[in-house]
């Protein structure tokens, strides 16, 4: 692990990765980058409660033919954690501003969890900026409400403690809770090694990142979910070629939540991955890499994926 940019927490080491911060949309965004800076770019967006290190298994293989850019979303990892701005349209603003700052004309895009939601919003708003989009463990914001998907809405109840007035304490307590094998299995953290678990969950020892977690979930439950119910994206049309992967053991979403109405997407398909849970990138990196290569037209040299330390 390396200590960088004068920050107290150490940044995990991944071979070939360089780190820097850039100013975009008024905040400092941390980037982990690899590959030829002149190669076609691929941007990888993590979700909560992770950061750029989510992509540790994929960065090396992708960097053989692409410029790999892994930003930390606002409030997470080593990016700035402002008091507000955690509604997801604002995070899409961050992404589009970052693309401008990096002078990227078009990029391939991968997004997991909230990073996938942000990816959908950015693709809807500025489809010309993205070649293709691989979404992971997230439902589209314009998915079709059905009796089956509505019946599964109870699965969102886990968000209530994080959105509550004591949500920052809930986030801060995750690192301790994850030391218990039963809770690791319940929250599907069991596929993280010690380095990953300590880095992902240890970030919430910083009060501003614990508060940012509250912002992510409170804005969703109080602002975005009502807007979805009111049909905010009902008339949206996804023009970017998109593939979505959902684990069959996903604790929150169901395949019914991935269905979209005819005419709302030009080229959209989803795949349910047997035996995988929410953290599909950690659990099945080889499959995610294979799907990314197929979608982005990358060479299939199948180099050995980075292994987690024992």
């Amino acid at each position: 692990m390396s200590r960088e940019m004068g920050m107290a927490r150490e940044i995990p080491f991944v071979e070939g990765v360089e780190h820097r911060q850039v100013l975009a949309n008024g905040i400092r965004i941390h980037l982990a980058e690899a590959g030829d800076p002149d190669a076609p770019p691929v941007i990888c967006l993590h979700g909560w409660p992770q950061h750029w290190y989510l992509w540790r298994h994929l960065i090396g293989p992708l960097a053989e033919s692409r410029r790999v850019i892994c930003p930390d979303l606002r409030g997470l990892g080593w990016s700035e954690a402002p008091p507000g701005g955690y509604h997801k349209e604002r995070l899409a603003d961050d992404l589009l501003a970052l693309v401008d700052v990096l002078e990227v004309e078009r990029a391939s895009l991968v997004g997991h969890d909230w990073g996938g939601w942000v990816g959908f919003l950015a693709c809807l708003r500025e489809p010309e900026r993205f070649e293709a989009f691989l979404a992971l463990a997230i439902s589209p914001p314009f998915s079709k409400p059905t009796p089956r998907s509505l019946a599964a809405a109870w699965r969102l109840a886990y968000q209530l403690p994080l959105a509550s007035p004591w949500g920052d304490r809930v986030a801060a307590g995750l690192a301790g809770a994850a030391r218990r094998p039963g809770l690791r299995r319940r929250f599907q953290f069991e596929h993280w090694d010690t380095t990953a678990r300590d880095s992902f969950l240890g970030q919430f020892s910083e009060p501003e990142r614990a508060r940012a977690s509250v912002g992510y979930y409170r804005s969703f439950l109080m602002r975005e979910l009502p807007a979805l119910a009111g049909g905010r994206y009902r008339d949206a049309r996804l023009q970017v070629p998109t593939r979505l992967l959902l684990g069959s053991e996903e604790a929150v979403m169901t395949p019914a939540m991935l269905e979209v109405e005819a005419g709302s997407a030009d080229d959209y398909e989803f795949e349910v991955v047997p035996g995988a849970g929410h953290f599909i990138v950690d659990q099945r990196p080889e499959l995610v890499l294979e799907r990314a290569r197929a979608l982005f037209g990358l060479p299939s040299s199948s180099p050995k994926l980075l292994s987690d330390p024992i």
Side-chain angles (χ1 to χ4, degrees):
M1 302 177 77
S2 62
R3 194 179 300 275
E4 305 219 12
M5 297 179 287
M7 295 187 178
R9 279 184 301 111
E10 291 183 329
I11 297 180
F13 174 78
V14 173
E15 186 176 356
V17 173
E18 297 183 354
H19 300 271
R20 61 174 170 141
Q21 286 191 332
V22 299
L23 186 65
N25 200 28
I27 65 168
R28 295 186 306 276
I29 295 177
H30 166 251
L31 302 178
E33 299 176 287
D36 183 350
D38 295 323
V42 56
I43 299 173
C44 302
L45 299 178
H46 67 88
W48 189 92
Q50 297 179 288
H51 48 62
W52 74 271
Y53 193 61
L54 165 64
W55 309 107
R56 61 198 180 280
H57 298 295
L58 275 65
I59 290 174
L62 290 175
E64 290 193 339
S65 58
R66 290 293 180 107
R67 174 190 180 188
V68 183
I69 304 167
C70 304
D72 284 337
L73 298 179
R74 70 164 57 206
L76 299 175
W78 287 263
S79 288
E80 187 176 352
Y86 295 101
H87 53 285
K88 310 312 170 291
E89 288 285 0
R90 186 63 180 272
L91 271 72
D93 292 341
D94 292 346
L95 171 59
L96 295 171
L98 178 64
V99 167
D100 288 336
V101 169
L102 298 178
E103 298 182 338
V104 169
E105 292 187 7
R106 283 173 67 84
S108 299
L109 184 63
V110 187
H112 176 262
D113 188 78
W114 286 130
W117 188 277
V118 171
F120 271 117
L121 298 182
C123 287
L124 288 174
R125 283 165 51 180
E126 297 192 17
E128 69 279 3
R129 309 302 297 269
F130 303 103
E131 298 277 359
F133 177 37
L134 179 62
L136 308 166
I138 192 68
S139 60
F142 52 88
S143 58
K144 178 182 178 181
T146 66
R148 285 188 301 157
S149 63
L150 293 174
W154 63 268
R155 293 169 178 260
L156 299 176
Y158 80 96
Q159 298 185 9
L160 293 173
L162 285 163
S164 72
W166 56 89
D168 55 342
R169 284 176 279 172
V170 174
L174 281 175
R179 295 190 182 97
R180 299 167 60 182
L183 288 175
R184 282 204 299 272
R185 288 192 296 272
R186 178 181 176 185
F187 294 117
Q188 300 191 346
F189 296 162
E190 71 268 29
H191 298 288
W192 300 346
D193 72 344
T194 302
T195 298
R197 187 171 67 245
D198 289 350
S199 188
F200 292 147
L201 303 181
Q203 65 180 313
F204 303 121
S205 64
E206 298 177 359
E208 66 272 20
R209 303 201 185 280
R211 288 193 295 268
S213 301
V214 177
Y216 273 87
Y217 288 96
R218 188 174 294 172
S219 68
F220 178 71
L221 292 178
M222 299 183 67
R223 179 173 182 168
E224 292 147 5
L225 191 58
L228 290 175
R232 177 170 186 178
Y233 301 104
R234 185 174 297 143
D235 297 327
R237 185 167 68 91
L238 181 66
Q239 301 177 57
V240 177
T242 298
R243 301 294 179 266
L244 194 156
L245 302 181
L246 182 77
S248 65
E249 304 303 316
E250 167 67 51
V252 178
M253 283 156 288
T254 67
M257 296 179 180
L258 311 183
E259 297 173 1
V260 301
E261 293 183 345
S264 62
D266 293 349
D267 183 2
Y268 166 80
E269 297 176 6
F270 70 85
E271 174 185 355
V272 177
V273 180
H278 180 70
F279 297 102
I280 189 171
V281 185
D282 305 275
Q283 190 175 0
R284 297 292 306 277
E286 77 293 338
L287 182 140
V288 175
L289 177 62
E290 179 183 326
R291 299 300 187 268
R293 283 174 166 159
L295 180 59
F296 302 152
L298 306 183
S300 54
S301 57
S302 300
K304 186 177 184 298
L305 293 173
L306 172 71
S307 297
D308 280 328
I310 298 174

